[in-house]
Each structure stands twice: as C-alpha cells, then as structure tokens.
Amino acid sequence: MSNMQLETLRRIVQEINASTSLHESLDIMVNQVAEAMHVDVCSIYLLDERNQRYLLMASKGLKPEAVGHVSLQTGEGLVGLVGQREEIVNLDNAPKHERFMYLPETGEEIYNSFLGVPVMYRRKVMGVLVVQNKESQDFSEAAESFLVTLCAQLSGVIAHAHAVGNIDVCRKPSNLPAYKTFQGVSGSGGIAIGRAVILYPPADLSAVPDREADDISEELTLLDGALTAVREEIQSLDDKMQDALMAEERALFSVFLRMLDENALPAEIKELIREGHWAQGAVRIVIENHVAQFAQMEDEYLRERVSDLKDLGRRILAKLQEADESHRELTDESILIGEEISTAALVELPVDKIAAIVTTEGAMNSHMVIVARALGIPTVVGVTELPINTLDDVEMIVDAHQGRVFINPPRRLRTRYKEIQKEEEQIAKDLRQYETKDAITPDGIAVRLFVNTGLMIDVVRGVQRGAKGVGLYRSEIPFMLRDRFPGEEEQRSIYRQQLSHFANKPVVMRTLDIGADKDLPYFSIEEENSALGWRGIRFTLDHPEIFSSQIRAMLKASIGLNNLHILLPMVTSVSEVEEALYLLERDWIAVQEEEQVKITKPKIGIMVEVPSVLHQIDEFSEFVDFFSVGSNDLTQYLLAVDRNNPRVANVYSHLHPAVLRALTRLVADCHRNEKPVSICGEMAGDPLSAVLLMAMGFNTLSMSSSNILRVRKTICHVPLTDAQDLLEHVLKLDNPLMVKSWLEHYFRKHGLADMVKGASRLVT
Ligand code: PEP
Ligand code: MG
C-alpha cells in the first residue's frame, strides 16, 4: 500500500474512532472511501441477523431514501455472494454475473464494475462494503487491499456499535436496546441476576459512564468548583514555567485558559448538565465532541492539539472525582463491570455483595479470576463488545457457565434463570455430602485432592471441603494486597496461618511468582512480551534479598509444624534451581542459628510450566524432591497462546492432544525417577480433565476450593479402569473439541452430567 493510501486510511480510521454513532461512522466511511478511491458509489450493507438480510446502512452515490430501507436476503445478489463466500468479489462487468440483482429503489444506474469486501469480525460476516463504478474496469489489487485493510480496522467499530444498539450507538441508557446478549469467556462458573455497577479507573475520561444527574444544581456547583481548581492549576503551571519555557512554548496554557472561559467549554458542559447529565458525563461528551472535530482538521498542528484537549478534560475530571464523595455503595446482587478489575480492587470491596463480575479484558486464568473463583463469584471475562459506559445500574443476567451476559433481559429469561439458580443451589447442597467422603474410585483407588490457596478464605474452605493438604499456596496474593513489599515478620505470620491450618498435612508454598499478568500495585513490570519476560524465579533470582526474606519467613513459620514444602515457579533451566538451592541452604542454616532451633529441611519442588522442563526431568530430578505441573502456563507455552487474550481463548485448551500427550509422558518420566508429580493448574479442578489426570497417574490433584467437591464426586463415580480407557481413547484424537465431547458423552452416560459445568442447562 502506498504511503498516501496509508495516510488516507489512518485518517479515516481516526475519524471513525472519534465518531459517536454507528450512522456517523458509516457515513464518514462511505464518503471518505468514495472520495479516496474516486468511485461513483460506496455502500455498506450490514447483516441483520434476526431477519437474515443485508440492510443498506450508508451509501455515497445511491439514493439517500434507499438507506435504511433497501435490503437483500443473505443468499441474494452480489452482496449475498460476498457474504456467502466470505471473500472479495471483484467484477468488471457486474450485470453479466448470474447473481447480479437490479434494485430499482436505489436509483442504481448501471454500474459495471463492482468490488465487494466482507466485513469480518471473529470469523463472522458482519456486513459487506461495496464500491461501484459506471466504467467497466477491474479494480486493482491495491484497491482491494485498501478496502480489506479498512474493513479489518472497522469491523471492531461496527461490531461494537452493532452490539450496542444494532442501528444507533448512543450513550444514553434510554437508547439502549431492550434486551441484548454478549459473549465472553467463562472465568468462574455460576449464575447471577443483578444490577451493573461500573468500576472505572479514576480520571479516565473515556471510562466515565452515562448517568443522570440526581440534582442538577449540585452538579453545576461541582463543575464550577472543578473549573476554578483547574484554572488555578494551569495558572500556577504557567507561573512556574516562566523561566523554563519561552513565551510561545507556554502559549498552550493560555489556550487552555481560553478554553476554560465561561463562554467556551464550560458553557457547553453546563448546557448538557441542564439537560440532565451528571457533570462527569457532560465533561466527557463535550471533550469527545471537540476531539472528533479536531481529529478531522487538515492542519496537523491542530490535529495534534487533540491530546491537549484530552489532557484538559482529564484535569477537570480529576477535580470532579476528588470532590465526588458519593462513592457508590454496593447493594446486594451487584454485578461489577469494568475493562479490567484488579485483584486488589476486588478484595477491597464487600465480597458478599458481589453477585458476579464481567470484564471486557482479561481471560479465564488471570489472577483476578483465580481469586474470584476462590470466592465463588461467577465471572465472565473478555466480553470485548460490552458497552460498559452505558450500563450503569442496568439489569443483567450473567451466565458464567457459558460466558454469556444478558442486559435488560426479558421476564421469561429472568424466570428461567431463577429456576436454574435454584437447581444449582440444590446441586451445591447435594455436593455437601462429599465434604466428608474420601476420593476413592469405585474400584478402590484413592486419589489425593489438595487445595490451592492464597487468601485465608481458601484455607477455610479447603479445610471444610476435606482437602488433604495445600498443593499450591500462591504467595504473591498477600503481596498483591499490600502497598509495599511485606517485611519478613509480616510474611512469617501470614505463612504461619496457612501452615497451622493444615498442621500434619503437607503445605506447598510457592515462592513469589510475579510478572506477566501478576503485577504488584507498587512494583509494576512493564514489558512488551511479559509472558516471556521477567517473571517467577527469573525475578526472584535477580532480587535475592526478596527471595531470601521470603524463604526465611517460610522457614520460621514452619518451626514446630514441619509441613513446609517449597515450590519454585517458572523454572526454565537446571542452573536456576542450583542457584535457588544455594540460597535456600544458606538461609536454612542461618535461620536455625538465629532461632537456635532445628528446622526440618523442607522438600523442594519445581513447577512444570515451561516446556523445556518436560525434556529435562532426568536432570532436574537430581536436584529436586517433587514436580508440580502449572497447567495454566504450560498450556499457554505449549500452544503459544496467551492465557489472557480473549481473542485467542478458543485456541487455549488444556484438553489439546499436545498437552495431554506431554503430561502423560511427564508422569512416566517423573515416576521413572521416583519423584512424585502433582498438578495445580486449573486443569486439575475440571472434572473432565481430572479423570484423565487420575488415569495418567498423577500423585496429587490440587485445585481451587470451589472445585474440590465436584472433582471428589466424579472420582467416587469413575472407576480407574474407565478413566484409563478414556485416556487411551482421547490420546488418539487430534482435536481438543473431540476430546471434550468424548469425555462429556461418558459423563452424561454415567449420571455425571451435573459435573460438566453448565452443559446440562443450556439456555439460548
Ligand atoms: C499455573 O500456571 O498453572 C499455575 C498454577 O500458576 P499460576 O496460575 O499462578 O500462574
Ligand atoms: Mg503459572
């Protein structure tokens, strides 16, 4: 693509991103494309799924009256052909084509050349973009690639707009469709019916939700206060920079002050407040409108002022937020929604009021989700299209089994989901009988079920649900909940609680595993490719002081209990283990000397998360006492699929044959070296995969407390011989979906349908 085309493309995309409604976006698109490509017609047809028709949504060149009225069935005309084939159709003599359909309502003269490009989003056709010329000519390859690139860029915008309101994207809740469904990825199963509460980051203009003003004059007063504060702030910045900057470089400050003149931005903001918007929302709308205008300007200097304008908006917003003391209290059955919700933000809230969590970012094994799962909160992540800002206080149903979110659900659906909730409560009640049972297969094989912990609630639930030990204590969780690295004594007392609740049972404590998606609020690691970056043991070996304070705290905490095991995360090479062992030995000797007490030497294990470890079990076995599979990361690295990227969530599966085969081999390698091997990734807590893991011969399955009872019930019902047959069969399959359905089929046939989460109660 030429530079000029790229520049045009960039401009069009920028304008579209700045527009505020789907109609506006599409109009911009057809006009700009027609102009840039010098074509007679440019039109966009969008798929109306309910009626299975392509509706003409915008056109430059066809009769304006046809827009919004003319439509074609999905199998009709050349537009239908593009949609069916899901590929470009480029014709120099369209009327001669067998699928050509003349539509008199469009005022269509005979346009000979036709180029149709599908607008695809997540493998689905959303619509078709068409350009036409009277002249008979093939469109060039450059024209094709220009439109393909444009459609790819725009498909997200269209998908989003389409999702919000089918036709019109408007931020006012009153314009929301009565009922709408969104799809994401299930993070933690369960069902919730409640009202949305938006968790938005402070001073983020684009995240400010629409909300009606409770009291207009109060909002006006708040705004006046914020404006005065910002004016003062800018004035003092100007004063401060007198000596440092030239007058023209400080011109920006006077531009800001002029914008803040009562007749400028404030007048517009106040007008919106008087119409009923709350002050923060009014600021956002006014700034966005101006940003859109600036972005369209030819003058590069003015276009670049967009960021200044946004900066000014953020300043006003920050002052408004400082003054806003009406932090919304959570009411019962609150459904938290946000782009991304951090673990820390979650645990700060009254957890018993959170009915569900829905985020547009994130994926099923992110840290927040792991915590939500421990707390038993239904969670759906990666709902990319969710129009967060428009959903304040809107009624929602969250079906976290299927990763579905329904906004403004009809009464019939609500009733059905209420019934399902009741059924689930019943299942949970029935499962309670498994709290005191042993996990023994019908053919008499005992399986050790451990719990994964991090919060105290995991420990309490783990004990209550009969866990035989802790298979993974995620020590980074208490680190995440603080505003600085906890000191040695602070750590000691936290670890002591964990160890003492499981006195006489093994507790596997993992050393700090931060990096990638596990960020500490006070120690952020910014990296391009963080999953492959500075994380786990790579970080702690570079910070031996942090590593040692943790080891020392763990050793001290274990005095008299002797149940400590230490697990090293994200190990890649034997040398890392050697280094860690050196530090461990040194700390073990030092702590005993200091405390004047003998401390049982903890058993040391490594996590199998990086594929390199799979190939060096013999070598690692010389140094460590046990292995524990972190299947969340191992799956991520074996399949080269980001565990936190909702776009590729469909590629991420621990039932992938490569994962299953790697694990089968791993267990054999560990046992040949006479080393126990456990698994503590989410795979262990999924009844379907747990059966396979048991057949592979894992010594221990360690899981979130919310999964223990399901897995125990499953084990009590599936003979080891059946599990072995299942494993033998699925190891021959080449597709994770086939593996899943094979297992589900077995579960259904053997009265275990309830253990297949959500599968038995599909609501469509
Ligand atoms: C894993 O990777 O499977 C694991 C248990 O560790 P985490 O999920 O904390 O990365
Ligand atoms: Mg991991």
Side-chain angles (χ1 to χ4, degrees), residues 529-553:
N529 211 342
S530 63
L532 303 183
W534 203 37
R535 53 174 306 196
I537 197 163
R538 300 172 187 180
F539 168 81
T540 42
L541 286 181
D542 285 348
H543 277 283
E545 76 291 5
I546 295 175
F547 186 72
S548 272
S549 88
Q550 209 182 13
I551 297 301
R552 288 168 56 85

Side-chain angles (χ1 to χ4, degrees), residues 367 370 472 474 476 510 513 518 535 607 609 630-633 643 680-681:
H367 238 249
I370 286 167
L472 169 67
R474 288 186 166 96
E476 60 279 2
R510 178 170 75 183
D513 186 18
K518 298 174 209 165
R535 53 174 306 196
M607 294 201 70
E609 296 179 293
S631 54
N632 307 338
D633 277 315
R643 67 192 247 186
C680 58

Side-chain angles (χ1 to χ4, degrees), residues 32 39 48 139 183 212 319 419 442 466 515 550 566-567 659 725:
Q32 297 272 11
V39 288
D48 174 354
F139 284 98
Q183 186 67 47
E212 274 177 32
K319 299 290 173 209
E419 284 165 18
Q550 209 182 13
I566 292 178
L567 181 62
V659 176
D725 289 348

